[in-house]
Amino acid sequence: MTTRPRLGVNIDHVATIRNARGGSHPEPLRAAELAIQAGADGITAHLREDRRHISDADIDGLAALCRHSNKPLNLEMAVTDEMLAIALEHGPHAACLVPERREERTTEGGLDVVRGHNAIAPVTRKLRDAGIRVSLFVEPSLAQIEMAEAVGAQVVELHTGAYCEAIKAGHADQARRLLGALKEAALEASRRGLEVHAGHGIDYDSVGPVSRILQVVELNIGHFLIGEAIFSGLPGAIGVMRALMNQARSESSV
Ligand code: PXP
């Protein structure tokens, strides 16, 4: 028996487009409502330190929407006192701790839990004490997973960026190797009792192989879906992604 993976829709880049003109259109909240209507299992948003896309007001609105719709809000956040206070104020279903550097275009690489555990452990504890599920966004590395368990995280989100880039570049051997690392990391995390999510860079070509990893229970997908929505609408893009996820999972053996 295989369970279909959940789809978390990351709506950051609706805010990127809105912010390009400084007005209120297109509204991330409206996109989140539409995504939920189209079958998203949850909404993901990253409140960055520099507020380059999602704003504090967006998080207010998304938290209220997810509460009313009974859908999980997954707040991606850096390990800082400011973000911890915001997470504790809103009490999202989950907080995904990510690395953040101002100069990066997107989240490049996973959180270094091995080097940063002294800072990550207390934030994890405070979030968990408030009833927020803690997910750590990590590279598919056994050392990072071992440390994720040690600091008390309940979930690891495996960074699929390198794998997805290899697929896009047509580097089949590299993609096979990177997919192997994702599978091994997913198995190890699950063996340690951690829930396994995956995300970053996923598109229609890479979603199938990631969805076939049986330990992966949730995918968080943003940029491609928002871009593809220009051509086929957000419900259309979500529908295709969901169908590809379900098909891949149904084909994978237990
Ligand atoms: N998961 C995490 C932890 C992320 O930081 C991001 C990017 O914000 C995503 C998933 C979604 O990545 P993408 O926008 O490339 O689909």
Side-chain angles (χ1 to χ4, degrees):
M1 174 63 191
T2 55
T3 317
R4 64 174 204 159
R6 297 190 300 264
L7 172 60
V9 174
N10 180 316
I11 43 103
D12 292 350
H13 297 299
V14 178
T16 304
I17 298 169
R18 174 196 60 193
N19 296 356
R21 286 293 167 95
S24 61
H25 184 82
E27 285 179 20
L29 190 61
R30 187 172 157 205
E33 276 170 334
L34 199 57
I36 290 170
Q37 283 163 21
D41 297 297
I43 298 297
T44 294
H46 185 176
L47 183 67
R48 294 187 78 105
E49 187 196 7
D50 62 8
R51 309 303 197 265
R52 71 175 68 159
H53 38 55
I54 292 293
S55 68
D56 296 73
D58 291 331
I59 295 295
D60 292 345
L62 291 169
L65 170 71
C66 287
R67 245 191 329 273
H68 293 141
S69 325
N70 207 15
K71 291 287 176 196
L73 173 64
N74 176 32
L75 175 66
E76 292 178 2
M77 54 176 267
V79 183
T80 64
D81 289 344
E82 184 200 15
M83 289 302 150
L84 174 63
I86 291 170
L88 294 178
E89 181 193 335
H90 288 291
H93 169 77
C96 181
L97 305 186
V98 301
E100 215 176 281
R101 289 197 308 276
R102 268 178 187 266
E103 66 276 14
E104 71 190 359
R105 220 184 297 168
T106 179
T107 313
E108 292 162 5
L111 194 64
D112 192 343
V113 196
V114 173
R115 288 178 67 182
H117 65 92
N118 284 335
I120 295 164
V123 171
T124 299
R125 195 172 52 248
K126 285 174 191 155
L127 290 166
R128 281 192 64 158
D129 285 351
I132 300 168
R133 237 171 129 65
V134 179
S135 168
L136 303 185
F137 185 47
V138 294
E139 293 294 329
S141 133
L142 302 188
Q144 296 294 344
I145 285 160
E146 183 181 350
M147 195 53 87
E149 183 195 11
V151 298
Q154 294 126 308
V155 182
V156 283
E157 178 162 330
L158 299 177
H159 197 313
T160 52
Y163 167 68
C164 295
E165 281 307 313
I167 293 273
K168 279 178 209 144
H171 297 151
D173 284 350
Q174 195 191 5
R176 209 170 304 117
R177 188 175 54 73
L178 291 165
L179 185 63
L182 286 165
K183 286 181 186 167
E184 199 186 345
L187 255 179
E188 176 66 10
S190 160
R191 202 180 60 72
R192 290 177 177 276
L194 295 163
E195 185 171 303
V196 184
H197 299 177
H200 211 283
I202 294 175
D203 62 13
Y204 292 156
D205 294 326
S206 46
V207 74
V210 176
S211 301
R212 275 188 208 104
I213 305 174
L214 289 171
Q215 292 78 21
V216 172
V217 301
E218 178 175 312
L219 301 187
N220 284 300
I221 309 180
H223 185 269
F224 178 82
L225 282 176
I226 303 306
E228 190 61 17
I230 293 168
F231 307 110
S232 56
L234 192 54
I238 290 172
V240 173
M241 193 64 88
R242 155 116 283 148
L244 291 169
M245 287 165 65
N246 293 351
Q247 187 191 340
R249 181 57 62 98
S250 71
E251 286 165 1
S252 57
S253 57
V254 186

